[in-house]
Amino acid sequence: MQYGGLKLRNPEKTGFTPIYDMINSPGSSISVLTVGSLKGFMLMLNVPELYSEYTDLNYTGTKFTKVVKSYILKLTLTKRSVTQLPLFNYSKKSSGTREGFFKEAKLQQTIWERSISGGRPIVCPGVANLALFNKKESIEFLNYLKGKTTNWGVQNLIRYLIPCLTSNTDGLGVLTMPTIQESKIFEEYIYEYRDNIGQEESEQLVTRPVMEIVYARVLSQVARLFIDLGVIHFDLHAGNSLIYKSGSSLRAVIIDFGLASDLLSGNEDNYFTVADKTQLLMIKNQYDKKFIHAINEGDEQIEFMKNTIDFIAETERSKNHQLRPHHYENDDEYQMDWYNDMSRMLSSTSKNNVFKSAFEFLRKDCLSIKQAILPTTIAKYKRDGNLLDFVNNSITDFIITKKRKRDMSRSASRSASRSRSASRSASRSASRSASRSASRSTSRSTSRSSKSR
């Protein structure tokens, strides 16, 4: 099981410095993960273990000891108001706002903390770093990235983003989170299964039983997000869920909370008034009671999961069409249209298998309590600067100023110096080792020659 939370190893590295240092480290690589999100572009950063700046919770979920070597960087253009952007790779895109991006990072970290309570599995990765660049610093950062990689996808994205940084743009937001190891985008499973329908099962890349488990894992997380954690995502396209291996089984996590609504926050947002949220919480509590009842009533479990997902999907579809009519070409098009495709691709028996398994996954994830990291420990790490603290820090604390940029430049110089020093040290060590080996070889040769005489 993966816990997806990140603790900064050196809390003296503030702002964007730890991410900047990892990008600047020898052997790092950057590539495009997905660009399917309405407001975001996801990059993947891989870093050698020696230069990683963060640790994840161990496999028992009790201590931050596992060094993280792979990260997701979500880039979002921030403007004074949400506006449509030019198409990117035939995908519709829009900007976000700086305030909205800050709230997204805060909500994602909140969901991560809520989900791991009691040692339960994560719903989403935690947030390692948040940086809000002004326009000038955004262009400089993108040009820096451009010079660090020859990856065509990244180069193409940068060529798109820089012209979008116009006069009414605040800049660029960068949210960093851990990559889920051995994961694949949910969308890829759908494509591989759909393309192989009709073939012999032995020739299929994704078999029907595997696809049933994949759908069940995603649906259980969608349901848990609403019933257990009080959140509706509103951007649940098939690129915003990752499927990963946990031992011999498959699991799912959800990413990209840029459009999500937290029903427990008590605050109005783009989707719901406070009164709307109060009503939805009453509905959530009704589903929660039905969930507990269905645990002991096996014949009600399939119907419960279907009704729960139908409610969430219809809420997402109707609200998104109401608020973003220009984004959809017809009433059937919406972010969760993969759910409709599931009904078309699977037989009635397979769909029942999916809902039955999804209920069982939901039951285990919500009710299985075990030893976990203590909330007091999480709070201490926040105070010490090892974990992001969105309660005691405001949005201005995450804006990259000129001073912070100078600090990053000095840090990069120190990082490069350490890299050269490490390289020289390794070279000297290898030289000494070779010298000792040669000496031992000569000694053995002399000894054998003496014995021969």
Side-chain angles (χ1 to χ4, degrees), residues 140-151:
E140 290 176 355
F141 170 65
L142 290 173
N143 281 324
Y144 171 77
L145 272 186
K146 188 177 179 181
K148 289 295 294 181
T149 180
T150 57
N151 181 279

Side-chain angles (χ1 to χ4, degrees), residues 27 65 74 98 138 210 231 237 246 278 325 342 367 406 409 439:
T65 58
K74 179 183 177 180
R98 184 169 279 183
S138 298
V210 169
V231 174
H237 60 79
S246 177
T278 301
M342 184 192 85
L367 304 180
R406 285 196 301 271
S409 297
S439 176

Side-chain angles (χ1 to χ4, degrees), residues 300-314:
E300 296 182 14
Q301 294 171 3
I302 292 173
E303 193 66 22
F304 168 82
M305 281 304 303
K306 184 180 184 305
N307 290 342
T308 303
I309 299 300
D310 284 349
F311 172 77
I312 295 168
E314 177 54 27

Side-chain angles (χ1 to χ4, degrees), residues 247-437:
S248 59
S249 62
L250 294 173
R251 285 188 169 272
V253 295
I254 294 171
I255 58 175
D256 194 357
F257 291 83
L259 300 179
S261 176
D262 183 6
L263 305 181
L264 303 180
S265 70
N267 299 319
E268 182 174 331
D269 56 35
N270 293 334
Y271 287 94
F272 301 119
T273 63
V274 174
D276 290 335
K277 288 188 175 183
T278 301
Q279 171 127 23
L280 279 165
L281 283 175
M282 292 173 62
I283 295 172
K284 167 197 169 307
N285 291 337
Q286 289 171 5
Y287 275 105
D288 200 13
K289 290 177 182 177
K290 291 177 182 178
F291 167 60
I292 299 300
H293 176 75
I295 289 173
N296 299 315
E297 301 292 337
D299 56 340
E300 296 182 14
Q301 294 171 3
I302 292 173
E303 193 66 22
F304 168 82
M305 281 304 303
K306 184 180 184 305
N307 290 342
T308 303
I309 299 300
D310 284 349
F311 172 77
I312 295 168
E314 177 54 27
T315 301
E316 290 212 2
R317 189 200 67 78
S318 60
K319 274 293 181 180
N320 276 326
H321 275 266
Q322 176 187 335
L323 296 175
R324 298 178 183 81
H326 59 273
H327 190 72
Y328 305 99
E329 295 180 0
N330 55 67
D331 285 344
D332 292 331
E333 185 183 354
Y334 71 120
Q335 303 303 84
M336 277 185 70
D337 52 13
W338 54 265
Y339 179 55
N340 294 352
D341 291 341
M342 184 192 85
S343 297
R344 289 189 285 266
M345 285 196 297
L346 299 181
S347 66
S348 296
T349 301
S350 285
K351 283 185 286 186
N352 285 342
N353 291 342
V354 168
F355 289 125
K356 181 75 173 176
S357 296
F359 185 91
E360 182 60 19
F361 296 148
L362 180 64
R363 183 191 67 79
K364 288 181 179 179
D365 288 350
C366 287
L367 304 180
S368 297
I369 306 298
K370 62 180 183 179
Q371 185 180 9
I373 190 166
L374 296 174
T376 52
T377 304
I378 294 285
K380 179 183 183 301
Y381 285 145
K382 287 181 181 179
R383 289 195 303 272
D384 294 344
N386 298 102
L387 289 176
L388 289 187
D389 185 354
F390 288 101
V391 175
N392 297 307
N393 289 304
S394 67
I395 188 170
T396 56
D397 294 307
F398 296 94
I399 296 174
I400 304 301
T401 63
K402 290 182 179 179
K403 178 182 181 304
R404 287 174 182 163
K405 189 179 164 215
R406 285 196 301 271
D407 291 342
M408 287 192 299
S409 297
R410 285 195 291 268
S411 176
S413 297
R414 290 193 298 269
S415 178
S417 177
R418 286 195 299 269
S419 298
R420 289 192 295 269
S421 176
S423 178
R424 286 195 297 268
S425 176
S427 178
R428 285 195 298 268
S429 176
S431 177
R432 286 194 297 268
S433 177
S435 177
R436 286 194 298 268
S437 178

Side-chain angles (χ1 to χ4, degrees), residues 113-130:
E113 288 187 32
R114 287 177 191 169
S115 68
I116 66 168
S117 65
R120 299 179 301 167
I122 60 170
V123 168
C124 67
V127 179
N129 188 279
L130 175 66

